[in-house]
Every structure is written in structure tokens, then in C-alpha cells.
Amino acid sequence: MSQIQVFFVGDELVAGYGDARAMGWTGRVLARTPVEPPIMPYVFAFAGEDTGHLGERWKDEVSPRLQRDADNRLVIALGSHDLDHGLSLARSRLHLANLLDNAARLGLSPFVVGPPPRLDIPEPGIAKLSHAFEEVCSRRHTTYVDTYNPLVQHEQWNTDMAATGGAYAPRQAGYGLMAWLVLHQGWHEWLGVSATNPDAATS
């Protein structure tokens, strides 16, 4: 197997902000993906970022690190800062569509993780945003992991978020839940590797 390089781009959630174990969901997912040679991960986070800014900067982060003889992969972790910055759903769709199209031009087939629930944003804000992102991914035959709907009524998620005072990022339990969703919504299939006990604890 050739070397797999996985580039994670997104806001503070992709960096695991607030996680006492400093793993976030990305570290937990990689821990459940043992392959040889090991995956080379790159995490490029920008706190408070909306899709417009992400679309402008991701290529500058990723392009210099692409290797011709490697299996290069792009994970786009979408947060909900579009709502904080007042972007319309149409604008959010456009930014993601352009990002996916630009990734395709570089020969990358992205894996997209949607925004999880927040206690400080009333429904149905994130629900509509997540649905808009999912529609864009569906039209481009791109894997999309919905984290909002499985977690919005999840007791452990809401308890974890409430413990932070409703802050943007979860803590250890919340990141474990996000990792579980990623592992069970096409991660291994997208990578082309075998799942190794994905039901194991991700906390």
C-alpha cells in the first residue's frame, strides 16, 4: 500500500479545541484506522473560520504537501461559523461547491464532515446549514457525514456541551461521539481500507 496522506482542514473543531486528551475527533478516528504504512495526517485549523475563508486558504496549506507517489486525501470539516458571520445559505452552498470543484481539479476526492449542534444557536439554524452542505455534496457524489441530526437530541452530547457553558466546542465525550459518527458513515470505504473494530470506545 502506498503512503496515505490525509489533510484535515476546518475550524477549531478539527484541531480538537477543548479536548482534555488533545485528540479531538480526528485523533480518535486515526487511532481506529491502523494501516501500514501509518497514515500521515496534516491538520490545518483556523479558529472562527467560515466557509468563505476556508475556501480561500485551504489550497495554500495543502498543495505544497501533495506527493505524487502518495495517496493524497482531503477531509473538509465544516463548522457553523457561517451563521455567526451572517452568511446566507446560498453563499454557504456556493463556497462549499467551489471548494469541492477546486479539490477535484487537484485530483482529490474529499470527505466532508458537517457541523455538530451548538447550544447557543437556536433551531433550525444549524439543521438548515447542514442540509445545505449535504445537498452540495450529494450533487457532487461526495461523502457527507451528518453530525447534527444524530447529536441534536443526544443526552451525552448535550451534557458535554452544557458543561462548557454552551461554548462552541465540545469536550472529551463530544469528540468521541463525533469520531464514532465519522467511523460509521463511510470513513473506511472512502480510504479503501478495512475497518478494525470501529465499535471500540473512542473516548
Side-chain angles (χ1 to χ4, degrees):
M1 176 183 292
S2 60
Q3 174 75 63
I4 300 175
Q5 295 196 134
V6 179
F7 303 96
F8 296 89
V9 297
D11 63 14
E12 59 265 40
L13 291 181
V14 80
Y17 171 68
D19 179 15
R21 296 185 65 189
M23 293 178 67
W25 66 263
T26 58
R28 288 170 170 82
V29 166
L30 291 168
R32 304 309 314 164
T33 316
V35 295
E36 287 296 336
I39 291 173
M40 170 60 76
Y42 297 86
V43 179
F44 302 112
F46 197 109
E49 180 175 65
D50 61 33
T51 52
H53 184 263
L54 174 60
E56 291 173 353
R57 63 100 179 174
W58 77 271
K59 285 192 294 183
D60 291 337
E61 307 273 19
V62 172
S63 295
R65 297 169 175 87
L66 295 174
Q67 294 186 19
R68 184 175 302 176
D69 58 349
D71 183 357
N72 299 294
R73 302 281 177 151
L74 177 67
V75 176
I76 302 165
L78 299 170
S80 50
H81 289 301
D82 282 16
L83 300 174
D84 299 322
H85 298 169
L87 273 65
S88 67
L89 288 179
R91 183 62 59 181
S92 296
R93 286 191 187 95
L94 178 61
H95 288 321
L96 178 57
N98 288 338
L99 199 164
L100 294 177
D101 291 344
N102 287 329
R105 293 187 186 100
L106 288 179
L108 298 170
S109 178
F111 183 94
V112 180
V113 179
R118 289 166 57 180
L119 299 185
D120 61 331
I121 292 183
E123 297 183 36
I126 300 178
K128 290 183 177 179
L129 183 64
S130 179
H131 182 67
F133 288 150
E134 188 168 17
E135 286 184 330
V136 173
C137 290
S138 177
R139 293 191 185 110
R140 284 161 175 75
H141 307 289
T142 298
T143 301
Y144 180 80
V145 177
D146 173 15
T147 66
Y148 177 81
N149 286 296
L151 296 178
V152 66
Q153 299 296 335
H154 196 290
E155 181 178 359
Q156 189 176 23
W157 173 268
N158 288 317
T159 298
D160 203 43
M161 292 295 285
T164 72
Y168 179 70
R171 294 297 183 260
Q172 185 171 324
Y175 281 117
L177 290 168
M178 289 185 70
W180 192 93
L181 290 170
V182 169
L183 289 167
H184 288 80
Q185 294 191 55
W187 171 258
H188 295 95
E189 293 84 353
W190 172 73
L191 275 179
V193 302
S194 299
T196 303
N197 194 15
D199 288 311
T202 53
S203 59

Coordinates of all heavy atoms in Angstrom, one line a residue, residues 44-135:
F44 N -4.9 21.3 9.5 CA -4.8 22.8 9.3 C -6.1 23.5 9.8 O -7.1 23.5 9.1 CB -4.6 23.1 7.8 CG -3.4 22.4 7.2 CD1 -3.5 21.4 6.3 CD2 -2.1 22.8 7.6 CE1 -2.4 20.8 5.7 CE2 -1.0 22.2 7.1 CZ -1.2 21.1 6.1
A45 N -6.1 24.0 11.0 CA -7.2 24.6 11.6 C -7.1 26.1 11.7 O -6.0 26.6 11.8 CB -7.4 24.0 13.0
F46 N -8.3 26.8 11.6 CA -8.3 28.2 11.7 C -9.5 28.6 12.5 O -10.7 28.4 12.1 CB -8.4 28.9 10.4 CG -8.0 30.4 10.4 CD1 -6.8 30.8 9.8 CD2 -8.9 31.3 10.9 CE1 -6.5 32.2 9.8 CE2 -8.6 32.6 11.0 CZ -7.4 33.1 10.4
A47 N -9.3 29.0 13.8 CA -10.5 29.2 14.7 C -11.4 30.3 14.2 O -11.0 31.4 13.6 CB -9.9 29.7 16.1
G48 N -12.7 30.1 14.3 CA -13.7 31.0 13.9 C -13.9 31.2 12.4 O -14.6 32.1 11.9
E49 N -13.4 30.2 11.7 CA -13.4 30.3 10.2 C -14.8 30.0 9.6 O -15.5 29.0 10.0 CB -12.4 29.3 9.7 CG -12.3 29.3 8.2 CD -11.1 28.4 7.7 OE1 -11.2 27.2 8.0 OE2 -10.2 28.9 7.2
D50 N -15.2 30.7 8.6 CA -16.4 30.4 7.8 C -16.0 29.7 6.5 O -14.8 29.6 6.2 CB -17.3 31.6 7.6 CG -16.7 32.7 6.8 OD1 -15.8 32.4 6.0 OD2 -17.0 33.9 7.1
T51 N -17.0 29.3 5.7 CA -16.6 28.6 4.5 C -15.9 29.4 3.5 O -15.2 29.0 2.7 CB -17.9 27.9 3.9 OG1 -18.9 29.0 3.7 CG2 -18.4 26.8 4.7
G52 N -16.2 30.7 3.5 CA -15.6 31.6 2.6 C -14.1 31.7 2.8 O -13.3 31.6 1.9
H53 N -13.7 31.8 4.1 CA -12.3 31.9 4.4 C -11.6 30.5 4.1 O -10.5 30.5 3.6 CB -12.1 32.3 5.8 CG -10.6 32.5 6.2 ND1 -9.9 31.5 6.9 CD2 -9.8 33.5 6.1 CE1 -8.7 31.9 7.1 NE2 -8.6 33.1 6.6
L54 N -12.3 29.5 4.5 CA -11.8 28.1 4.3 C -11.5 27.9 2.8 O -10.4 27.4 2.4 CB -12.7 27.1 4.8 CG -12.4 25.6 4.5 CD1 -11.1 25.2 5.1 CD2 -13.5 24.7 5.0
G55 N -12.4 28.3 1.9 CA -12.2 28.2 0.5 C -11.1 29.0 -0.1 O -10.4 28.5 -1.0
E56 N -10.7 30.1 0.6 CA -9.6 30.9 0.1 C -8.3 30.4 0.5 O -7.3 30.6 -0.2 CB -9.8 32.3 0.7 CG -11.0 33.1 0.1 CD -11.2 34.4 0.8 OE1 -10.5 34.7 1.8 OE2 -12.0 35.2 0.4
R57 N -8.2 29.7 1.7 CA -6.8 29.4 2.2 C -6.4 27.9 2.1 O -5.3 27.6 2.3 CB -6.7 29.9 3.6 CG -7.7 29.2 4.7 CD -7.0 28.2 5.5 NE -7.9 27.6 6.5 CZ -7.6 26.5 7.2 NH1 -6.4 26.0 7.2 NH2 -8.5 26.1 8.1
W58 N -7.4 27.0 1.9 CA -7.0 25.6 2.1 C -6.0 25.1 1.0 O -5.1 24.3 1.4 CB -8.3 24.7 2.0 CG -8.8 24.5 0.6 CD1 -9.7 25.2 -0.1 CD2 -8.4 23.4 -0.3 NE1 -9.9 24.7 -1.3 CE2 -9.1 23.6 -1.5 CE3 -7.6 22.3 -0.2 CZ2 -9.0 22.8 -2.6 CZ3 -7.4 21.5 -1.3 CH2 -8.2 21.7 -2.5
K59 N -6.0 25.6 -0.2 CA -5.1 25.1 -1.2 C -3.6 25.6 -0.9 O -2.7 24.8 -1.1 CB -5.5 25.7 -2.6 CG -6.6 24.9 -3.2 CD -6.8 25.3 -4.7 CE -7.2 26.7 -4.9 NZ -7.4 27.0 -6.3
D60 N -3.5 26.7 -0.3 CA -2.2 27.2 0.1 C -1.6 26.3 1.2 O -0.3 26.1 1.3 CB -2.2 28.6 0.7 CG -2.5 29.6 -0.4 OD1 -2.3 29.3 -1.6 OD2 -3.0 30.7 -0.1
E61 N -2.4 25.7 2.0 CA -2.0 24.8 3.1 C -1.6 23.4 2.5 O -0.6 22.8 2.8 CB -3.1 24.6 4.1 CG -3.6 25.9 4.7 CD -2.8 26.3 5.9 OE1 -1.7 25.9 6.1 OE2 -3.4 27.1 6.7
V62 N -2.5 22.9 1.6 CA -2.4 21.5 1.1 C -1.5 21.3 -0.1 O -0.7 20.4 -0.1 CB -3.8 21.0 0.8 CG1 -3.7 19.6 0.1 CG2 -4.7 20.9 2.1
S63 N -1.5 22.2 -1.1 CA -0.8 22.0 -2.3 C 0.7 21.7 -2.2 O 1.2 20.8 -2.8 CB -1.1 23.2 -3.3 OG -2.4 23.3 -3.6
P64 N 1.4 22.5 -1.3 CA 2.8 22.2 -1.2 C 3.2 20.8 -0.6 O 4.3 20.4 -0.8 CB 3.3 23.3 -0.3 CG 2.3 24.4 -0.3 CD 1.0 23.6 -0.5
R65 N 2.2 20.2 0.0 CA 2.5 18.9 0.7 C 2.0 17.7 -0.1 O 2.1 16.6 0.4 CB 1.8 19.0 2.1 CG 2.4 20.1 3.0 CD 1.7 20.3 4.2 NE 2.3 21.3 5.1 CZ 2.2 22.6 5.0 NH1 1.4 23.1 4.1 NH2 2.8 23.4 5.9
L66 N 1.3 17.9 -1.2 CA 0.9 16.8 -2.1 C 2.1 16.1 -2.6 O 3.1 16.7 -3.1 CB 0.0 17.3 -3.2 CG -1.3 18.0 -2.9 CD1 -2.0 18.5 -4.1 CD2 -2.2 16.9 -2.2
Q67 N 2.1 14.8 -2.6 CA 3.2 14.0 -3.1 C 2.7 13.1 -4.2 O 1.7 12.4 -4.1 CB 3.8 13.1 -1.9 CG 4.4 13.9 -0.8 CD 5.1 13.0 0.2 OE1 5.4 11.8 -0.1 NE2 5.4 13.6 1.3
R68 N 3.4 13.1 -5.3 CA 3.0 12.4 -6.5 C 2.9 10.9 -6.3 O 2.0 10.3 -6.8 CB 4.0 12.7 -7.6 CG 3.6 12.1 -8.9 CD 4.6 12.5 -10.0 NE 4.6 14.0 -10.2 CZ 5.5 14.6 -11.0 NH1 6.3 13.9 -11.7 NH2 5.5 15.9 -11.1
D69 N 3.7 10.3 -5.4 CA 3.7 8.9 -5.2 C 2.9 8.5 -4.0 O 2.9 7.3 -3.6 CB 5.1 8.3 -5.1 CG 5.9 9.0 -3.9 OD1 5.4 10.0 -3.4 OD2 7.0 8.5 -3.6
A70 N 2.1 9.4 -3.4 CA 1.3 9.1 -2.2 C -0.2 9.1 -2.6 O -0.6 9.6 -3.7 CB 1.6 10.1 -1.1
D71 N -1.0 8.5 -1.7 CA -2.4 8.5 -1.8 C -2.9 9.7 -1.0 O -3.0 9.7 0.2 CB -3.0 7.2 -1.3 CG -4.5 7.1 -1.4 OD1 -5.1 8.1 -1.9 OD2 -5.1 6.1 -1.1
N72 N -3.1 10.8 -1.7 CA -3.5 12.1 -1.0 C -5.0 12.2 -0.8 O -5.7 12.0 -1.8 CB -3.0 13.3 -1.9 CG -1.5 13.3 -2.1 OD1 -0.7 13.4 -1.1 ND2 -1.0 13.1 -3.3
R73 N -5.4 12.5 0.4 CA -6.8 12.6 0.7 C -7.1 13.9 1.4 O -6.3 14.4 2.2 CB -7.2 11.4 1.7 CG -6.9 10.1 1.1 CD -8.0 9.7 0.1 NE -7.7 8.4 -0.5 CZ -8.7 7.6 -0.9 NH1 -9.9 7.9 -0.7 NH2 -8.4 6.4 -1.5
L74 N -8.3 14.4 1.2 CA -8.7 15.7 1.8 C -10.0 15.5 2.6 O -11.0 15.1 2.1 CB -9.0 16.8 0.7 CG -9.5 18.1 1.2 CD1 -8.4 18.9 2.0 CD2 -9.9 19.0 0.0
V75 N -9.9 15.9 3.9 CA -11.1 15.9 4.8 C -11.5 17.4 5.1 O -10.7 18.1 5.6 CB -10.8 15.2 6.1 CG1 -12.1 15.3 7.0 CG2 -10.5 13.7 5.8
I76 N -12.7 17.7 4.7 CA -13.2 19.1 4.9 C -14.2 19.0 6.1 O -15.2 18.4 6.1 CB -13.9 19.6 3.7 CG1 -13.0 19.6 2.5 CG2 -14.5 21.0 3.9 CD1 -13.7 19.7 1.2
A77 N -13.7 19.7 7.2 CA -14.6 19.7 8.4 C -15.3 21.0 8.5 O -14.7 22.0 8.8 CB -13.7 19.4 9.7
L78 N -16.6 21.0 8.3 CA -17.3 22.2 8.2 C -17.9 22.6 9.6 O -18.6 21.7 10.2 CB -18.5 22.1 7.2 CG -18.0 21.8 5.8 CD1 -19.2 21.4 4.9 CD2 -17.3 23.0 5.2
G79 N -17.7 23.8 10.1 CA -18.3 24.2 11.3 C -19.5 25.0 11.0 O -20.1 25.0 9.9
S80 N -20.0 25.8 12.0 CA -21.2 26.6 11.9 C -20.9 28.1 12.0 O -21.8 28.9 12.2 CB -22.2 26.2 12.9 OG -21.6 26.1 14.2
H81 N -19.7 28.5 11.7 CA -19.4 29.9 11.8 C -20.0 30.8 10.7 O -20.0 32.0 10.8 CB -17.9 30.1 11.9 CG -17.2 29.7 13.2 ND1 -17.6 30.2 14.4 CD2 -16.3 28.8 13.5 CE1 -16.9 29.6 15.4 NE2 -16.1 28.8 14.8
D82 N -20.5 30.1 9.7 CA -21.2 30.9 8.6 C -22.4 31.6 9.3 O -22.7 32.7 8.9 CB -21.7 29.9 7.5 CG -20.6 29.5 6.6 OD1 -19.4 29.7 6.9 OD2 -21.0 29.0 5.5
L83 N -23.0 30.9 10.3 CA -24.1 31.6 10.9 C -23.7 32.7 11.8 O -24.4 33.8 11.9 CB -24.9 30.5 11.8 CG -25.4 29.3 11.0 CD1 -26.0 28.3 12.0 CD2 -26.5 29.7 10.0
D84 N -22.6 32.6 12.4 CA -22.0 33.7 13.3 C -21.7 34.9 12.4 O -21.8 36.1 12.9 CB -20.8 33.3 14.0 CG -21.0 32.1 15.0 OD1 -22.1 32.1 15.6 OD2 -20.2 31.2 15.1
H85 N -21.3 34.7 11.2 CA -20.8 35.8 10.3 C -21.9 36.3 9.4 O -21.7 37.1 8.5 CB -19.6 35.3 9.5 CG -18.4 34.9 10.3 ND1 -17.3 34.3 9.8 CD2 -18.2 35.1 11.6 CE1 -16.4 34.1 10.8 NE2 -16.9 34.6 11.9
G86 N -23.1 35.7 9.5 CA -24.2 36.2 8.7 C -24.3 35.8 7.3 O -24.9 36.5 6.5
L87 N -23.6 34.7 6.9 CA -23.6 34.2 5.5 C -25.0 33.6 5.2 O -25.6 32.9 6.1 CB -22.5 33.2 5.3 CG -21.2 33.8 4.8 CD1 -20.5 34.6 6.0 CD2 -20.3 32.6 4.4
S88 N -25.5 33.9 4.1 CA -26.8 33.2 3.6 C -26.5 31.8 3.3 O -25.3 31.4 3.0 CB -27.3 33.9 2.4 OG -26.5 33.7 1.3
L89 N -27.6 30.9 3.3 CA -27.4 29.5 2.9 C -26.9 29.4 1.4 O -26.1 28.5 1.1 CB -28.7 28.8 3.0 CG -29.2 28.5 4.4 CD1 -30.5 27.8 4.4 CD2 -28.2 27.7 5.2
A90 N -27.3 30.3 0.6 CA -26.9 30.3 -0.8 C -25.4 30.6 -0.9 O -24.7 29.9 -1.7 CB -27.6 31.4 -1.6
R91 N -24.9 31.5 -0.1 CA -23.5 31.8 -0.1 C -22.7 30.6 0.5 O -21.6 30.2 0.0 CB -23.2 33.0 0.7 CG -21.8 33.5 0.8 CD -21.2 33.8 -0.6 NE -22.0 34.9 -1.2 CZ -21.7 35.4 -2.4 NH1 -20.7 34.9 -3.1 NH2 -22.5 36.4 -3.0
S92 N -23.2 30.0 1.5 CA -22.5 28.8 2.1 C -22.5 27.7 1.1 O -21.4 27.0 1.0 CB -23.3 28.3 3.4 OG -23.3 29.3 4.4
R93 N -23.5 27.4 0.4 CA -23.6 26.4 -0.7 C -22.5 26.7 -1.7 O -21.8 25.8 -2.2 CB -24.9 26.3 -1.3 CG -26.0 25.7 -0.5 CD -27.2 25.4 -1.4 NE -28.4 24.9 -0.6 CZ -29.4 25.7 -0.2 NH1 -29.3 27.0 -0.4 NH2 -30.4 25.2 0.5
L94 N -22.4 28.0 -2.1 CA -21.5 28.3 -3.2 C -20.1 28.1 -2.8 O -19.3 27.6 -3.5 CB -21.7 29.8 -3.6 CG -20.8 30.4 -4.7 CD1 -21.0 29.6 -6.0 CD2 -21.1 31.9 -4.9
H95 N -19.8 28.5 -1.5 CA -18.4 28.4 -1.1 C -18.0 26.9 -1.0 O -16.9 26.5 -1.4 CB -18.3 29.0 0.4 CG -18.3 30.5 0.4 ND1 -17.7 31.2 -0.6 CD2 -18.8 31.3 1.3 CE1 -17.8 32.5 -0.3 NE2 -18.6 32.6 0.9
L96 N -18.9 26.0 -0.5 CA -18.6 24.6 -0.5 C -18.5 24.0 -1.9 O -17.6 23.2 -2.2 CB -19.6 23.9 0.3 CG -19.4 22.3 0.4 CD1 -18.0 22.0 1.0 CD2 -20.5 21.7 1.2
A97 N -19.4 24.4 -2.8 CA -19.3 23.9 -4.1 C -18.0 24.3 -4.8 O -17.4 23.4 -5.5 CB -20.5 24.5 -5.0
N98 N -17.6 25.5 -4.6 CA -16.3 25.9 -5.2 C -15.1 25.2 -4.6 O -14.2 24.8 -5.3 CB -16.1 27.4 -5.0 CG -17.0 28.3 -5.9 OD1 -17.5 27.8 -6.9 ND2 -17.2 29.5 -5.5
L99 N -15.2 24.9 -3.3 CA -14.1 24.2 -2.7 C -14.0 22.8 -3.2 O -12.9 22.3 -3.5 CB -14.4 24.2 -1.2 CG -13.2 23.9 -0.2 CD1 -13.6 24.3 1.2 CD2 -12.8 22.4 -0.2
L100 N -15.2 22.1 -3.3 CA -15.2 20.7 -3.9 C -14.7 20.7 -5.3 O -14.0 19.8 -5.7 CB -16.6 20.1 -3.7 CG -17.1 19.9 -2.3 CD1 -18.5 19.4 -2.4 CD2 -16.2 19.0 -1.5
D101 N -15.1 21.7 -6.1 CA -14.7 21.7 -7.5 C -13.2 21.9 -7.6 O -12.5 21.3 -8.4 CB -15.4 22.8 -8.3 CG -16.9 22.5 -8.4 OD1 -17.3 21.3 -8.2 OD2 -17.7 23.4 -8.7
N102 N -12.6 22.8 -6.8 CA -11.2 23.0 -6.8 C -10.4 21.8 -6.3 O -9.3 21.5 -6.8 CB -10.9 24.3 -5.9 CG -11.3 25.6 -6.6 OD1 -11.3 25.7 -7.8 ND2 -11.6 26.6 -5.8
A103 N -11.0 21.1 -5.3 CA -10.3 19.9 -4.9 C -10.3 18.9 -6.0 O -9.3 18.2 -6.2 CB -11.0 19.3 -3.7
A104 N -11.4 18.8 -6.8 CA -11.4 17.8 -7.9 C -10.3 18.1 -8.9 O -9.7 17.3 -9.5 CB -12.8 17.8 -8.5
R105 N -10.1 19.4 -9.2 CA -9.1 19.8 -10.1 C -7.7 19.4 -9.7 O -6.8 19.3 -10.5 CB -9.2 21.4 -10.3 CG -10.4 21.9 -11.0 CD -10.4 23.3 -11.3 NE -11.7 23.8 -11.8 CZ -12.6 24.5 -11.1 NH1 -12.3 24.7 -9.8 NH2 -13.7 24.8 -11.6
L106 N -7.5 19.3 -8.4 CA -6.2 18.8 -7.9 C -6.2 17.3 -7.8 O -5.2 16.7 -7.3 CB -5.9 19.4 -6.5 CG -5.6 20.9 -6.4 CD1 -5.4 21.3 -5.0 CD2 -4.4 21.2 -7.3
G107 N -7.2 16.6 -8.2 CA -7.3 15.2 -8.2 C -7.6 14.6 -6.8 O -7.4 13.4 -6.5
L108 N -8.2 15.4 -6.0 CA -8.6 15.0 -4.6 C -10.1 14.7 -4.6 O -10.9 15.4 -5.1 CB -8.3 16.1 -3.6 CG -6.8 16.5 -3.5 CD1 -6.7 17.7 -2.6 CD2 -6.0 15.3 -2.9
S109 N -10.4 13.6 -3.9 CA -11.8 13.2 -3.7 C -12.1 13.4 -2.2 O -11.8 12.6 -1.4 CB -12.1 11.7 -4.0 OG -13.4 11.4 -3.8
P110 N -12.8 14.5 -1.9 CA -13.0 14.9 -0.5 C -13.9 14.1 0.3 O -14.8 13.4 -0.2 CB -13.5 16.4 -0.5 CG -13.2 16.8 -1.9 CD -13.3 15.6 -2.8
F111 N -13.8 14.1 1.6 CA -14.6 13.5 2.6 C -15.1 14.7 3.5 O -14.2 15.4 4.1 CB -13.9 12.5 3.4 CG -14.7 11.7 4.5 CD1 -15.2 10.5 4.1 CD2 -14.8 12.2 5.7 CE1 -15.9 9.8 5.1 CE2 -15.5 11.5 6.7 CZ -16.1 10.3 6.4
V112 N -16.4 14.9 3.6 CA -16.9 16.1 4.3 C -17.6 15.8 5.6 O -18.5 14.9 5.6 CB -17.8 16.9 3.3 CG1 -18.3 18.2 4.1 CG2 -17.1 17.3 2.0
V113 N -17.2 16.4 6.6 CA -17.9 16.3 7.9 C -18.6 17.5 8.3 O -18.1 18.6 8.3 CB -16.8 16.0 9.0 CG1 -17.5 15.8 10.4 CG2 -16.0 14.7 8.7
G114 N -19.9 17.4 8.5 CA -20.8 18.6 8.7 C -20.7 19.1 10.1 O -20.1 18.5 11.0
P115 N -21.4 20.2 10.4 CA -21.3 20.9 11.7 C -22.2 20.2 12.7 O -23.3 19.9 12.4 CB -21.8 22.3 11.4 CG -22.8 22.1 10.2 CD -22.1 21.0 9.4
P116 N -21.7 20.1 13.9 CA -22.5 19.5 15.0 C -23.4 20.5 15.7 O -23.2 21.7 15.4 CB -21.4 18.9 16.0 CG -20.3 19.9 15.8 CD -20.3 20.3 14.3
P117 N -24.3 20.1 16.5 CA -25.2 21.1 17.2 C -24.4 22.0 18.2 O -23.4 21.6 18.7 CB -26.1 20.2 18.0 CG -26.0 18.8 17.4 CD -24.6 18.7 16.9
R118 N -25.0 23.1 18.4 CA -24.5 24.1 19.4 C -25.7 24.5 20.3 O -26.8 24.6 19.8 CB -23.9 25.3 18.8 CG -22.6 25.1 18.1 CD -22.1 26.2 17.2 NE -22.1 27.5 17.8 CZ -21.7 28.6 17.2 NH1 -21.4 28.6 15.9 NH2 -21.7 29.8 17.8
L119 N -25.4 24.7 21.5 CA -26.5 25.2 22.4 C -26.8 26.7 22.3 O -27.8 27.1 22.7 CB -26.1 24.8 23.9 CG -25.9 23.4 24.2 CD1 -25.6 23.2 25.7 CD2 -27.1 22.5 23.8
D120 N -25.9 27.4 21.7 CA -26.1 28.9 21.6 C -26.7 29.3 20.3 O -26.9 30.5 20.1 CB -24.7 29.6 21.8 CG -23.7 29.2 20.8 OD1 -23.8 28.1 20.2 OD2 -22.8 30.0 20.5
I121 N -27.0 28.4 19.5 CA -27.7 28.7 18.2 C -29.1 28.1 18.2 O -29.2 26.8 18.3 CB -26.9 28.3 17.0 CG1 -25.6 29.2 16.9 CG2 -27.7 28.5 15.7 CD1 -24.8 28.9 15.7
P122 N -30.2 28.8 18.1 CA -31.5 28.2 18.1 C -31.8 27.4 16.9 O -31.2 27.7 15.8 CB -32.4 29.4 18.2 CG -31.6 30.5 17.6 CD -30.2 30.3 18.0
E123 N -32.6 26.4 17.1 CA -33.0 25.6 15.9 C -33.9 26.5 15.0 O -34.6 27.4 15.6 CB -33.8 24.4 16.4 CG -33.0 23.4 17.2 CD -33.8 22.2 17.6 OE1 -34.6 21.7 16.7 OE2 -33.6 21.7 18.7
P124 N -33.9 26.3 13.7 CA -33.3 25.3 13.0 C -32.0 25.7 12.2 O -31.7 25.2 11.1 CB -34.4 24.9 12.0 CG -35.0 26.2 11.6 CD -34.9 27.0 12.9
G125 N -31.3 26.7 12.8 CA -30.1 27.3 12.1 C -29.1 26.3 11.6 O -28.9 26.2 10.4
I126 N -28.6 25.5 12.5 CA -27.5 24.5 12.0 C -28.2 23.4 11.2 O -27.5 22.9 10.3 CB -26.7 24.0 13.2 CG1 -26.1 25.1 14.0 CG2 -25.7 23.0 12.8 CD1 -25.3 24.7 15.2
A127 N -29.4 23.0 11.5 CA -30.1 22.0 10.7 C -30.2 22.4 9.3 O -29.9 21.6 8.4 CB -31.5 21.7 11.3
K128 N -30.5 23.6 9.0 CA -30.6 24.1 7.6 C -29.3 24.2 7.0 O -29.1 23.8 5.8 CB -31.3 25.5 7.6 CG -32.8 25.4 7.9 CD -33.4 26.8 7.8 CE -34.9 26.8 8.1 NZ -35.5 28.1 8.0
L129 N -28.3 24.6 7.7 CA -26.9 24.7 7.2 C -26.4 23.4 6.8 O -25.8 23.2 5.8 CB -26.0 25.4 8.2 CG -24.6 25.7 7.8 CD1 -24.5 26.6 6.6 CD2 -23.7 26.2 8.9
S130 N -26.6 22.4 7.7 CA -26.1 21.0 7.5 C -26.8 20.5 6.2 O -26.2 19.8 5.4 CB -26.3 20.2 8.7 OG -25.9 18.8 8.5
H131 N -28.1 20.7 6.1 CA -28.8 20.2 5.0 C -28.3 20.8 3.7 O -28.2 20.1 2.7 CB -30.3 20.4 5.2 CG -31.2 19.9 4.0 ND1 -31.3 18.5 3.8 CD2 -31.9 20.5 3.1 CE1 -32.1 18.4 2.8 NE2 -32.5 19.5 2.3
A132 N -28.0 22.1 3.7 CA -27.5 22.7 2.5 C -26.2 22.1 2.1 O -25.9 21.9 0.9 CB -27.3 24.2 2.8
F133 N -25.3 21.9 3.1 CA -24.0 21.3 2.8 C -24.2 19.9 2.2 O -23.5 19.5 1.3 CB -23.2 21.2 4.1 CG -22.6 22.5 4.6 CD1 -22.4 22.7 5.9 CD2 -22.3 23.5 3.7 CE1 -21.9 23.9 6.4 CE2 -21.8 24.7 4.2 CZ -21.6 24.9 5.5
E134 N -25.1 19.1 2.8 CA -25.3 17.8 2.3 C -25.8 17.7 0.9 O -25.5 16.9 0.1 CB -26.3 17.1 3.3 CG -26.5 15.6 3.0 CD -27.3 14.9 4.1 OE1 -28.0 15.6 4.9 OE2 -27.2 13.6 4.1
E135 N -26.7 18.7 0.6 CA -27.2 18.8 -0.8 C -26.0 19.0 -1.8 O -26.0 18.4 -2.9 CB -28.2 19.9 -0.9 CG -29.6 19.6 -0.3 CD -30.6 20.7 -0.5 OE1 -30.2 21.9 -0.7 OE2 -31.8 20.4 -0.6

